Amino acid sequence: MIVMRQKPVTEIRDMVARHRRVLLVGCNTCAAVALAGGEKEVGTLAEILRLAMWRQGSQVIFEGALLQRQCEPEYVMQLDAEGYDALLSLGCGAGVSLLAAMIDVPVYPALDTMFIGVSQGLASWEAECSACGQCVLGKTAGICPITRCAKGILNGPCGGVSDGRCELGDRDCAWVLIHERLEHFGRTEEIAEIAEPKDHSIHTKCPAFGIVGMEESDPGEKP
Amino acid sequence: MCATNAIHMHAIREGTTRLSAPCRARCPVHIDVPGYLSAIADGRFTDALEIVLERNPLPSVCGRICLRPCEEGCRRCLLDEPVAIAQLKRAAADFGAYPVRKRSFPRPESIAIVGSGPTGLTAAYDLVSWGMHATILESEPLLGGMLRYGIPSFRLPDYALDRDIDHILSLGAEAKTRVRVGRDVTVSELAEENDAVLVAVGLPLSRTPPIPGAELPGVMSALPLLAAISRGERVEVGSRVVVVGGGNAAIDVARTVRRLGATKVHLVYRRTRQEMPASEQEVKEAEREGVTLHCSLGPVSIVGDDRVRALIAARCTSIPGEGRRAEPTIDEEQVTRFEADTIVFAIGQAADVTDLALPLTPRGALEVDPLALRSPAEKVYVAGDVISGATTVIDAIAAGHRVAALIYRDLTGDARPLEQLDEESAVLGKVPDAMASKLETRRRIMMERLEYFESVQSFEEIESGYTEYEAAREAQRCLSCTSGARLTREKCASCLTCMRVCPHGVPMLQLGGYLYFDADTCHACGACASQCPAQAIALEGHSEDEMIQRVQRQLTNTSLETTLMFACGSTPILPNIAPGDTRTLTVTCLLRASERTVLRALQEGATRVVFAGCVESTCRFPHARKFVRQRAARITALLEALGMTDAFFLAEYDDALDWHLP
Ligand SMILES: Cc1cc2nc3c(=O)[nH]c(=O)nc-3n(C[C@H](O)[C@H](O)[C@H](O)COP(=O)(O)OP(=O)(O)OC[C@H]3O[C@@H](n4cnc5c(N)ncnc54)[C@H](O)[C@@H]3O)c2cc1C
Ligand code: SF4
Ligand code: SF4
Ligand code: SF4
Ligand code: SF4
């Protein structure tokens, strides 16, 4: 899942302060699950922004709406944004972008999109994937070096490792973990294989990326 | 003495049947018990009273003398003791304000009601609430039936009865006292002048046994004796009194004669103690007041000359399993002699219906269709003890509701009130072991009462009622059965937060990522609802919007420095935070005040919001405390970012100062 967290409320306040009527748009998929942009957060954020504006003596109206997913045009089409002069998205970057593309008023992000991660229990996530476009997890025993290695190197560890800890001090060395797990599966010899550099041009093909055989389809059309 | 009912989980999952708490299911009028208890737990006595009044027009009465079938079903029975459901109803009536409604009679029908006992009063209450005219005719000088002239004032004082009756009259019910129907006006005259006549005349006569000496001076019957006392008449009973009987009336007579100065009071009952129809608690209290119980003894004769001298009673053997009707066999060889100045018979009540000139059965009872509650006489309905035999107040109230609903349907064709009475519901099962092991034992809070030696000195009311604090605390013992988490599936984002938050494993993951909340195990703490990002979880009787409305009501006419204090209903002594203008809103748990609610309060005129209480030793939902802290931290951080550093804080209190801990 995509993990997000709310921006500082002052930053949000300053982004929207010049508008008159702002619609907060939540997302009931990842943003809700990340406890950052579901119905509850839309309500709370609207309230604190009202309070902030009232303290500054400015008149800005904040109202809330919720989409099932902000990253799907069909859902965005359900949004009634009539009469608002700005949108404040409580979705990930994809949600903000789609709203901006489809709705003709300025759209601002209320959240910072952090990473693709896994849940660590209540209100806690860990990054596990950086959406690099050429997955290497098959070779690295399911541990992502791009995400979990501070330097994102494909052949590791580097010289900064000591006692299994990264020299940054905030994490275990991803490459030590990879070596240990490969060893566990009896795949020690694969460690010696040198990984080739990634083809970063793949990212430039985005966003015109489609499922093979469906390149021509447009979003509104039924297959 | 707890029994639980099987549940029909399937029907509940499918949403076809309403789910009831067992207390509610056992209450003959199905009062929303968890609803009013949770209002009391919040300190909202007026709300509680309104919930009770939806189904029971006599909360002040029933709060004192109801025999509480509900408590036998209470799910707390298996843990410690049932919640004091009935006594808390009294607290609602003591501290809540009875609603004031404009009298209005949009309907033209008028109904005459003969008898002002609980049956007649309830029917009048319903009929005027539905817009009809109702006039009660009562032969006695005051209204109330057995509540006034039977049940003694040390259990039910007049002021407590008058509270309920005044409320019913304020709604527009008319009453004419000292009118004896059958003598001063006939039933057929009433039927001519009205659209319906309800006969709810109860059982005003006492039975006496056909034994030698029963006509001697000094032999009395229970009901005339009790009625004379409630009218304030002087009755001489001497110092030695024998009371014959085993029902509540017998116990009331025994306790009454103790107060009239009798020092030796013997209660003689022909069956075993287990078979006594009187409530166990009343029997115990009578014993503590000095009444001596003699079971398995039946009266055979009364000895006397110009007045009674003694009762002769013989040993009786009743055959268990033969039911009430089977006569015990008397062994004339084994007799006991009780010296007595007065003998009172309390062996049963009888109807007095000959004057009414209505069709009778061969045995002399009113002839009634038991389903339609109608007499063969046109427009005449019959209900209450007069047809059911001696029951209890709450049964009489249920009878009043039923007959009113039937009258309403017959006159208007609208059967909705009747359907509501017959609505089926499944009953929540017993507390599962997994839940029981997590619940703390909490003894029932005993109500302040007169000492036994004091209580027999006068007719003063024995129980003085809970204080507001005691009532709230006792109400917090309620497990809020069926008032727990309820999911709106369409809104759920399948985030699993509720599963992670709930300490009792209530939300269970189902195929498709949906959650299923097991009502049997839910403690109704609200932790999940407070964290659900999709606001997909609701708690019965609580909504954020209503909470905001309560806030707005509290914040009318604020000053420049108004503090709004959300007070945890579980915390006995609240910190003395701000002198001056502080408005207090008591909540079941501080988690019911959401971030949004707090932020809104600051825009509605509160200068400062305080979360007060949340003390570990008295907390009702200990696992919820960390979420209260987390919420407080979040609100503080949000406000601090705006430079509002003292607009909100959490004020706990020192555990050591909690004087009310058991
Ligand atoms: C001593 C005693 C103690 C009890 N204690 C309890 C208790 O603790 N808890 C409990 O739940 N129940 C108790 N009960 C039972 C309860 O009081 C009755 O079940 C209940 O009052 C029956 O209600 P009702 O309306 O049918 O009749 P009643 O209450 O008997 O009312 C009938 C009314 O009709 C009036 N009336 C009769 N004939 C006429 C007429 N011709 N014209 C005009 N008016 C007439 C009577 O004066 C009376 O006011 C007790 C009963 C007794 C006798
Ligand atoms: S715990 Fe409360 S809701 Fe549950 S049965 Fe007892 S009184 Fe009723
Ligand atoms: S916390 Fe709310 S949104 Fe998340 S799974 Fe539970 S009910 Fe669904
Ligand atoms: S968290 Fe509390 S209210 Fe929610 S399901 Fe669990 S016990 Fe019930
Ligand atoms: S968690 Fe705190 S606020 Fe909630 S009931 Fe317990 S003590 Fe009260």
Side-chain angles (χ1 to χ4, degrees):
Chain A
M1 186 198 69
I2 298 170
V3 179
M4 290 143 265
R5 70 172 173 211
Q6 220 169 78
K7 285 177 175 293
V9 51
T10 40
E11 185 184 336
I12 304 173
R13 174 195 64 193
D14 297 344
M15 278 191 289
V16 295
R18 73 188 100 126
H19 295 284
R20 290 182 341 274
R21 202 155 168 247
V22 180
L23 182 63
L24 280 69
V25 187
C27 172
N28 205 32
T29 308
C30 298
V33 178
L35 310 182
E39 187 175 316
K40 179 177 168 67
E41 288 310 318
V42 169
T44 307
L45 184 61
E47 217 64 76
I48 190 80
L49 288 172
R50 280 179 201 131
L51 194 61
M53 295 305 168
W54 176 72
R55 296 243 322 155
Q56 294 185 339
S58 35
Q59 303 268 320
V60 185
I61 295 165
F62 293 98
E63 273 156 29
L66 183 76
L67 295 179
Q68 185 58 30
R69 262 203 297 290
Q70 273 183 34
C71 52
E72 313 272 9
E74 289 87 339
Y75 287 125
V76 177
M77 278 188 298
Q78 290 174 352
L79 187 69
D80 181 9
E82 199 55 44
Y84 296 95
D85 61 351
L87 299 188
L88 182 58
S89 162
L90 286 84
C92 68
V96 179
S97 312
L98 189 57
L99 288 184
M102 291 181 61
I103 294 167
D104 193 22
V105 290
V107 180
Y108 302 96
L111 309 183
D112 286 322
T113 304
M114 307 300 294
F115 49 76
I116 299 174
V118 299
S119 168
Q120 302 274 89
L122 182 62
S124 166
W125 293 268
E126 195 161 75
E128 294 288 2
C129 169
S130 300
C132 71
Q134 288 152 286
C135 191
V136 298
L137 290 174
K139 291 211 163 96
T140 60
I143 295 167
C144 176
I146 318 282
T147 312
R148 295 186 54 182
C149 164
K151 300 174 180 135
I153 54 178
L154 283 175
N155 299 286
C158 69
V161 61
S162 74
D163 275 346
R165 297 283 290 170
C166 171
E167 63 186 322
L168 257 58
D170 63 346
R171 64 186 87 189
D172 289 334
C173 168
W175 276 106
V176 171
L177 296 175
I178 292 167
H179 283 222
E180 279 169 4
R181 201 179 283 168
L182 284 175
E183 206 175 312
H184 173 73
F185 288 115
R187 293 165 59 188
T188 333
E189 73 286 351
E190 290 176 36
I191 295 167
E193 282 171 34
I194 303 293
E196 295 298 314
K198 288 195 172 219
D199 174 9
H200 288 289
S201 73
I202 192 137
H203 281 292
T204 64
K205 297 201 179 111
C206 267
F209 213 106
I211 297 173
V212 180
M214 289 183 64
E215 275 93 333
E216 303 305 315
S217 71
D218 91 41
E221 196 184 85
K222 293 208 176 64
Chain B
M1 280 278 294
C2 233
T4 42
N5 293 302
I7 42 163
H8 321 299
M9 272 333 271
H10 183 72
I12 298 158
R13 281 207 186 100
E14 300 300 308
T16 49
T17 316
R18 198 164 52 98
L19 186 60
S20 274
C23 51
R24 182 175 191 172
R26 287 189 182 223
C27 168
V29 299
H30 308 304
I31 300 176
D32 178 4
V33 177
Y36 81 79
L37 295 190
S38 91
I40 293 178
D42 270 7
R44 290 181 287 121
F45 290 94
T46 299
D47 290 354
L49 184 58
E50 279 176 16
I51 297 173
V52 176
L53 285 170
E54 276 171 25
R55 305 258 173 168
N56 184 337
L58 303 171
S60 177
V61 168
C62 287
R64 288 172 170 85
I65 52 91
C66 182
L67 297 179
R68 2 182 155 155
C70 53
E71 288 185 17
E72 277 169 32
C74 176
R75 290 172 90 228
R76 261 212 105 95
C77 288
L78 292 178
L79 306 168
D80 35 50
E81 295 162 282
V83 178
I85 302 173
Q87 290 171 316
L88 287 169
K89 205 170 289 127
R90 170 177 174 176
D94 282 355
F95 304 121
Y98 281 78
V100 183
R101 241 171 263 138
K102 257 212 351 250
R103 296 159 178 239
S104 79
F105 302 100
R107 301 207 59 97
E109 295 88 351
S110 74
I111 292 94
I113 298 174
V114 187
S116 67
T119 311
L121 288 172
T122 304
Y125 176 84
D126 285 352
L127 293 166
V128 295
S129 307
W130 299 329
M132 293 182 170
H133 299 264
T135 307
I136 300 172
L137 302 142
E138 169 59 56
S139 57
E140 295 290 334
L142 294 172
L143 302 179
M146 284 303 161
L147 307 176
R148 177 88 59 189
Y149 296 106
I151 302 175
S153 59
F154 53 87
R155 294 206 289 127
L156 179 61
D158 278 355
Y159 82 87
L161 172 58
D162 288 334
R163 263 183 121 95
D164 287 339
I165 292 181
D166 290 348
H167 172 237
I168 296 171
L169 296 179
S170 80
L171 297 174
E174 303 281 338
K176 292 183 185 152
T177 52
R178 299 178 205 267
V179 178
R180 184 159 184 89
V181 176
R183 191 189 63 200
D184 303 332
V185 56
T186 64
V187 174
S188 54
E189 282 165 352
L190 290 174
E192 251 164 57
E193 293 158 15
N194 293 279
D195 298 279
V197 181
L198 167 59
V199 175
V201 291
L203 301 169
L205 303 181
S206 285
R207 291 186 210 275
T208 32
I211 57 168
E215 66 302 322
L216 282 172
V219 177
M220 298 184 185
S221 296
L223 297 181
L225 172 72
L226 293 170
I229 302 292
S230 36
R231 286 196 203 96
E233 293 166 18
R234 264 186 77 80
V235 182
E236 295 293 344
V237 290
S239 64
R240 296 165 306 173
V241 180
V242 178
V243 182
V244 182
N248 279 324
I251 302 289
D252 278 340
V253 169
R255 299 176 75 182
T256 298
V257 296
R258 276 291 283 132
R259 285 163 174 79
L260 293 175
T263 45
K264 289 204 167 57
V265 180
H266 295 283
L267 191 88
V268 174
Y269 177 53
R270 59 192 190 140
R271 296 171 195 275
T272 62
R273 180 160 182 163
Q274 288 70 39
E275 289 168 287
M276 267 197 163
S279 95
E280 178 64 26
Q281 198 191 334
E282 299 296 328
V283 177
K284 278 193 188 138
E285 292 197 10
E287 286 187 295
R288 306 264 324 246
E289 287 181 359
V291 174
T292 320
L293 222 64
H294 303 273
C295 291
S296 302
L297 281 180
V300 285
S301 65
I302 293 167
V303 186
D305 30 53
D306 56 331
R307 59 173 295 121
V308 302
R309 298 290 171 208
L311 176 85
I312 308 296
R315 173 100 2 232
C316 294
T317 347
S318 49
I319 306 141
E322 294 244 320
R324 280 272 152 72
R325 297 240 160 244
E327 284 295 314
T329 41
I330 296 178
D331 180 354
E332 304 266 354
E333 301 284 287
Q334 290 191 54
V335 292
T336 313
R337 183 188 161 105
F338 294 97
E339 300 302 326
D341 300 321
T342 302
I343 297 172
V344 190
F345 284 101
I347 55 170
Q349 292 169 251
D352 178 15
V353 291
T354 37
D355 287 358
L356 298 175
L358 289 169
L360 302 179
T361 65
R363 299 184 61 192
L366 287 178
E367 191 182 336
V368 185
D369 172 342
L371 291 179
L373 299 181
R374 294 190 75 151
S375 155
E378 212 191 331
K379 296 192 196 170
V380 178
Y381 294 74
V382 188
D385 278 10
V386 65
I387 51 160
S388 58
T391 60
T392 66
V393 173
I394 194 66
D395 289 311
I397 293 173
H401 282 314
R402 177 157 298 272
V403 75
L406 286 164
I407 293 173
Y408 188 76
R409 182 201 60 187
D410 295 348
L411 295 182
T412 66
D414 181 353
R416 278 174 305 173
L418 196 60
E419 283 160 11
Q420 203 201 356
L421 292 181
D422 291 329
E423 202 184 317
E424 296 243 326
S425 77
V427 181
L428 203 65
K430 71 175 183 86
V431 174
D433 293 344
M435 177 179 179
S437 62
K438 282 185 183 135
L439 287 168
E440 254 182 86
T441 310
R442 276 207 173 155
R443 299 307 300 263
R444 179 170 169 137
I445 296 180
M446 298 319 272
M447 204 178 251
E448 196 70 45
R449 47 163 299 147
L450 296 176
E451 296 292 344
Y452 290 97
F453 73 87
E454 285 175 311
S455 67
V456 294
Q457 308 288 322
S458 73
F459 281 85
E460 200 186 315
E461 184 172 24
I462 298 173
E463 294 188 321
S464 47
Y466 285 132
T467 62
E468 287 181 55
Y469 169 68
E470 286 168 337
R473 201 80 187 113
E474 174 61 19
Q476 287 158 14
R477 293 181 62 240
C478 171
L479 303 173
S480 304
C481 311
T482 67
S483 307
R486 202 156 295 177
L487 177 73
T488 307
R489 246 181 163 210
E490 293 69 37
K491 294 180 85 175
C492 174
S494 302
C495 71
L496 310 184
T497 302
C498 49
M499 262 180 90
R500 292 172 184 146
V501 163
C502 177
H504 308 299
V506 175
M508 287 182 284
L509 190 55
Q510 289 191 304
L511 219 60
Y514 290 111
L515 277 298
Y516 166 72
F517 286 73
D518 176 28
D520 269 1
T521 17
C522 177
H523 295 215
C525 67
C528 58
S530 79
Q531 303 294 309
C532 171
Q535 303 207 305
I537 305 171
L539 296 170
E540 188 78 20
H542 169 79
S543 83
E544 195 178 40
D545 289 342
E546 263 169 43
M547 189 58 89
I548 290 175
Q549 282 165 20
R550 280 179 74 193
V551 166
Q552 285 165 336
R553 266 180 268 136
Q554 284 293 331
L555 292 175
T556 44
N557 303 323
T558 47
S559 58
L560 279 175
E561 271 284 316
T562 299
T563 303
L564 178 67
M565 179 161 93
F566 287 98
C568 161
S570 294
T571 306
I573 307 175
L574 296 169
N576 204 354
I577 25 127
D581 186 7
T582 300
R583 317 278 170 98
T584 308
L585 242 170
T586 311
V587 287
T588 306
C589 169
L590 292 172
L591 278 184
R592 312 261 158 131
S594 67
E595 292 88 342
R596 223 186 109 205
T597 309
V598 171
L599 298 173
R600 179 63 72 83
L602 291 169
Q603 296 165 68
E604 299 280 348
T607 333
R608 180 183 307 109
V609 176
V610 178
F611 273 10
C614 203
V615 173
E616 188 173 4
S617 52
T618 49
C619 176
R620 191 179 172 194
F621 309 119
H623 62 271
R625 292 184 72 240
K626 67 169 184 280
F627 298 111
V628 171
R629 266 142 202 78
Q630 177 218 54
R631 171 164 299 167
R634 167 110 202 266
I635 297 172
T636 308
L638 283 173
L639 292 171
E640 268 174 10
L642 300 183
M644 301 171 73
T645 40
D646 62 353
F648 174 83
F649 61 91
L650 170 69
E652 283 184 68
Y653 205 61
D654 187 0
D655 285 14
L657 293 178
D658 181 6
W659 50 273
H660 221 289
L661 289 179

